[in-house]
């Protein structure tokens, strides 16, 4: 089996404020684990996971912003070839939600106009500390033409992950 054994290649880029759980989400999805301790740093810029969708092998190349979250420091090249963007906020952090318009401006400026954007509210295992209601997020995502779901990197939920992959994967020929 060669390294290029897939039908489609799909590039997904995670963006959103530092601390919302982007790295943990990537680790959960690609390795099935929640990193112990604070500050999950990975030494590579992207991770690979191949999934099967409707009988087709789809190779997902998932890019984590890895500490480059500050506005205007993420370059055009980072967004340019993304098929999908996962714009992440933390449901227990109002500030991470209030920054979303800034991220949308970056997307508008740098990403392809065909990019699919999914809004993800992370850390639902901390529902007792919730600062951003589902209704608010649903209204915001609808107004911006984004898919929206809530998730937890800490408490794995495969159904949610599969929904997410199916939502963002209208794959392009590799
Ligand atoms: P990033 O800066 O967006 O990459 O965020 P990290 O993935 O480094 O996570 C930041 C902090 O939030 C870490 O302390 C994680 O353990 C924690 N964290 C991430 N996802 C979750 C989650 O789903 N639930 C809880 N309770 N904590 C989380
Ligand atoms: Mg990170």
């Amino acid at each position: 089996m060669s390294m290029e054994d897939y039908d489609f290649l799909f590039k997904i880029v995670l963006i959103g404020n530092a601390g919302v759980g982007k790295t943990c989400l990537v680790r959960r999805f690609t390795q099935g684990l929640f990193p112990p301790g604070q500050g999950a740093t990975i030494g590579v810029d992207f991770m690979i996971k191949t999934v099967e969708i409707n009988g087709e092998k789809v190779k997902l190349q998932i890019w984590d912003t890895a500490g480059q979250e500050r506005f205007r420091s993420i370059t055009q090249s980072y967004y340019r070839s993304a098929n999908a963007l996962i714009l992440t906020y933390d449901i227990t952090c109002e500030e991470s939600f209030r920054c979303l318009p800034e991220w949308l401006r970056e997307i508008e400026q740098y990403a392809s106009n065909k990019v699919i954007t999914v809004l993800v509210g992370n850390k639902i295992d901390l529902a007792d500390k919730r600062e951003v209601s589902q209704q608010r997020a649903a209204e915001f995502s609808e107004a911006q033409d984004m898919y929206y779901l809530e998730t937890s990197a800490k408490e794995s939920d495969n159904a949610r992950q599969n929904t997410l992959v199916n939502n963002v994967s209208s794959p392009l020929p590799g």
Side-chain angles (χ1 to χ4, degrees), residues 23 40 64 69:
T23 299
D64 183 8
E69 291 98 337

Side-chain angles (χ1 to χ4, degrees), residues 95-160:
E95 170 72 12
S96 72
F97 188 81
R98 262 194 284 116
C99 285
L100 293 177
E102 302 253 7
W103 288 105
L104 291 176
R105 274 194 283 282
E106 287 221 338
I107 293 170
E108 215 162 279
Q109 193 174 356
Y110 296 124
S112 152
N113 54 16
K114 282 179 266 175
V115 81
I116 295 163
T117 306
V118 181
L119 181 67
V120 170
N122 189 40
K123 306 194 188 181
I124 48 166
D125 57 290
L126 301 177
D128 54 324
K129 295 196 187 113
R130 179 187 284 275
E131 291 182 1
V132 182
S133 76
Q134 278 183 311
Q135 191 190 337
R136 225 172 122 204
E139 282 169 6
F140 181 77
S141 63
E142 212 166 294
Q144 303 292 335
D145 248 337
M146 293 184 284
Y147 295 104
Y148 156 64
L149 74 150
E150 293 192 338
T151 191
S152 166
K154 188 171 184 183
E155 285 166 14
S156 177
D157 184 334
N158 287 327
R160 277 173 192 283

Side-chain angles (χ1 to χ4, degrees), residues 44-98:
V44 291
D45 289 325
F46 68 89
M47 290 202 158
I48 297 290
K49 179 164 172 151
T50 303
V51 295
E52 210 172 291
I53 298 172
N54 299 329
E56 308 263 36
K57 267 199 195 127
V58 181
K59 181 170 164 178
L60 302 174
Q61 197 183 68
I62 306 169
W63 290 71
D64 183 8
T65 36
Q68 300 170 287
E69 291 98 337
R70 290 179 62 190
F71 298 129
R72 289 166 206 95
S73 67
I74 299 175
T75 56
Q76 188 170 358
S77 63
Y78 193 82
Y79 285 97
R80 199 166 39 211
S81 56
N83 301 107
L85 298 171
I86 298 182
L87 176 54
T88 311
Y89 68 96
D90 172 352
I91 67 149
T92 72
C93 177
E94 165 76 23
E95 170 72 12
S96 72
F97 188 81
R98 262 194 284 116

